[in-house]
Amino acid sequence: MSAADFLHRTVLLTEAVDGLAIKPDGCYVDCTYGRGGHSRLILSRLGPAGRLIAFDKDPQAVANARSIADPRFSIVHEPYAAFHSGLDELGVGLVDGVLMDLGVSSPQIDDASRGFSFRFDAPLDMRMDTTRGQTAAEWLATAEQADITEVIRDYGEERFAKQIAGALVAARVENPVVTTGQLSQIVAKAVRTREPGQDPATRTFQAIRIYINRELEELSLTLPQALGRLAAGGRFSVIAFHSLEDRIVKRFMQDAAKADRLPSRLPVRAADIGEAPLKLIGKPVRASQAEVDENPRARSAILRIAERTGAPIPKGMSA
C-alpha cells in the first residue's frame, strides 16, 4: 500500500453506507471504488450470501481492489457509465443498493504524476483512466479558444474563463502547455482577483479535469441505468462534492420521486395517482465539523439518499 493509499480518508463513510440499509444477503454496487473505504464497510455488513460489485476506471484503484480476497467481491475496470454491461457480464440482474462517491479521490490528487493538482509541477495528464483517452495537455494543444472558454466557464464556474482561455492559446504559440506548473502560472496571470484562501487555478483545474474525464456526462448516463437495476426497497446513496454534480443528482432524484403530475383542479382521488419510482430518504447529509476538521475535503460533501418503490419507471427515466 502506498503512502497515498494510507493517508486516504473516505468522506461520509458511515453515513453513506448506513444510507444503503444493507441486507446481509443483498447485492450492492459501489460505482466509485477509489481506495475501497465504502466497499470494505459494505462487505463487513454482508453475510455469506451477500455480494458487492465495484466499478473504477483508475488502474491504481483497480490494483488496490484486487488485494481484496473475498469471493463476495468483484471489481470492474470500467467507468460506472458501463453499469448495465458490467453487471450483465457478471450475471447480475437487480441490485439492492447503489453507492456513488463522485469526483476525484485524495490519492489521485496527492500523486503528483497524475497531474490533477497545481500543488506539484508534473505532467499535465488528469486522466482517471491512464490507459486510454486524451490527456489535458493534448487537449489544450489543439482545442479552439472558444471551446476552452466554454469548458472553464461551464465546468469551473470561472468568471475569468475568456481571459484564461486567451492566455492559454497565446502561451502555446511559444511553448506547449504540458505541465501543471505552466498551467497554474498562466491562470494566475490571467485571473485578476480570487476568493481569499483559494488558489487562482482551482476552478480551471477542476473544469479541465471534469471535461477530460466526462464526469458529468457519465453521471447523467449512469443514474437512469442504476434506477432501472434497483430492486423494490433498494437504495441510492450518492455523495457529491461540487454544485454541478450535486445539481444533476438532486434533479434526477426529485424527478423520480414525483408521482404522475396532473392539472391542479382535475377531480382525481389521491389513491388513483400513480406512485413515484423513488422516494427521498431524509434530508441531505453534510459532514460533521469534526470530520471537516480532520479532512478539509469533506467541507463541500453532500450526501443524498433515495429508495426504490415498487412503482414502474416512466419511459425515458431509465436506460
Side-chain angles (χ1 to χ4, degrees):
M1 182 178 289
S2 69
D5 290 335
F6 182 78
L7 294 171
H8 178 59
R9 299 185 184 96
T10 304
V11 175
L12 291 170
L13 171 61
T14 303
E15 294 87 344
V17 176
D18 285 349
L20 292 174
I22 300 288
K23 302 173 185 176
D25 60 349
C27 181
Y28 295 86
V29 178
D30 182 351
C31 286
T32 46
Y33 174 84
R35 289 304 180 269
H38 291 118
S39 283
R40 289 184 172 87
L41 185 55
I42 292 170
L43 285 169
S44 75
R45 297 186 182 185
L46 290 175
R51 189 170 186 185
L52 173 63
I53 298 96
F55 286 77
D56 210 297
K57 57 186 177 181
D58 186 332
Q60 293 181 10
V62 173
N64 180 285
R66 286 178 177 150
S67 69
I68 298 179
D70 191 322
R72 302 170 301 169
F73 176 73
S74 301
I75 181 67
V76 179
H77 181 197
E78 293 289 349
Y80 50 69
F83 197 93
H84 277 325
S85 61
L87 295 188
D88 287 345
E89 288 183 13
L90 293 170
V92 175
L94 297 179
V95 300
D96 297 294
V98 176
L99 187 147
M100 305 179 82
D101 181 2
L102 304 173
V104 67
S105 70
S106 298
Q108 290 169 327
I109 294 173
D110 294 337
D111 184 347
S113 67
R114 304 299 298 272
F116 286 108
S117 177
F118 45 76
R119 292 188 287 120
F120 314 102
D121 189 15
L124 189 57
D125 193 317
M126 290 197 185
R127 293 173 298 167
M128 292 180 181
D129 186 346
T130 53
T131 68
R132 67 188 91 173
Q134 188 179 45
T135 68
E138 289 168 344
W139 177 67
L140 285 174
T142 59
E144 297 290 337
Q145 182 171 331
D147 293 334
I148 298 174
T149 300
E150 182 178 2
V151 166
I152 296 174
R153 181 192 66 221
D154 294 350
Y155 293 159
E157 299 178 294
E158 172 59 75
R159 63 183 182 275
F160 297 116
K162 185 175 181 180
Q163 293 91 327
I164 294 169
L168 285 167
V169 170
R172 75 187 185 191
V173 173
E174 300 295 329
N175 292 294
V177 182
V178 295
T179 70
T180 55
Q182 285 177 285
L183 176 58
S184 180
Q185 290 171 14
I186 292 166
V187 174
K189 292 178 181 178
V191 174
R192 296 191 297 274
T193 62
R194 179 52 68 225
E195 296 89 340
Q198 185 179 86
D199 190 284
T202 299
R203 295 178 181 273
T204 297
F205 270 68
Q206 170 187 292
I208 295 174
R209 186 205 83 217
I210 289 173
Y211 174 78
I212 290 296
N213 294 287
R214 300 184 64 247
E215 293 177 40
L216 301 185
E217 292 90 340
E218 287 194 356
L219 177 59
S220 296
L221 289 170
T222 305
L223 290 170
Q225 294 183 63
L227 175 61
R229 292 280 188 154
L230 272 179
R235 293 279 189 93
F236 263 127
S237 186
V238 186
I239 305 169
F241 286 87
H242 62 76
S243 60
L244 297 175
E245 61 192 12
D246 181 57
R247 193 176 305 146
I248 292 171
V249 174
K250 178 181 178 181
R251 287 177 178 173
F252 180 83
M253 287 186 172
Q254 287 182 339
D255 287 347
K258 292 176 183 175
D260 293 336
R261 284 176 287 186
L262 299 171
S264 59
R265 296 185 180 181
L266 195 67
V268 177
R269 296 177 302 173
D272 294 330
I273 299 176
E275 186 180 14
L278 272 186
K279 65 177 179 181
L280 305 180
I281 303 298
K283 295 181 179 180
V285 178
R286 293 189 178 274
S288 67
Q289 187 58 51
E291 181 172 8
V292 172
D293 290 342
E294 183 180 349
N295 181 9
R297 183 171 180 256
R299 186 181 306 279
S300 61
I302 181 166
L303 168 66
R304 297 183 185 275
I305 301 167
E307 182 175 294
R308 179 78 170 90
T309 69
I313 302 172
K315 186 177 180 180
M317 195 169 283
S318 66

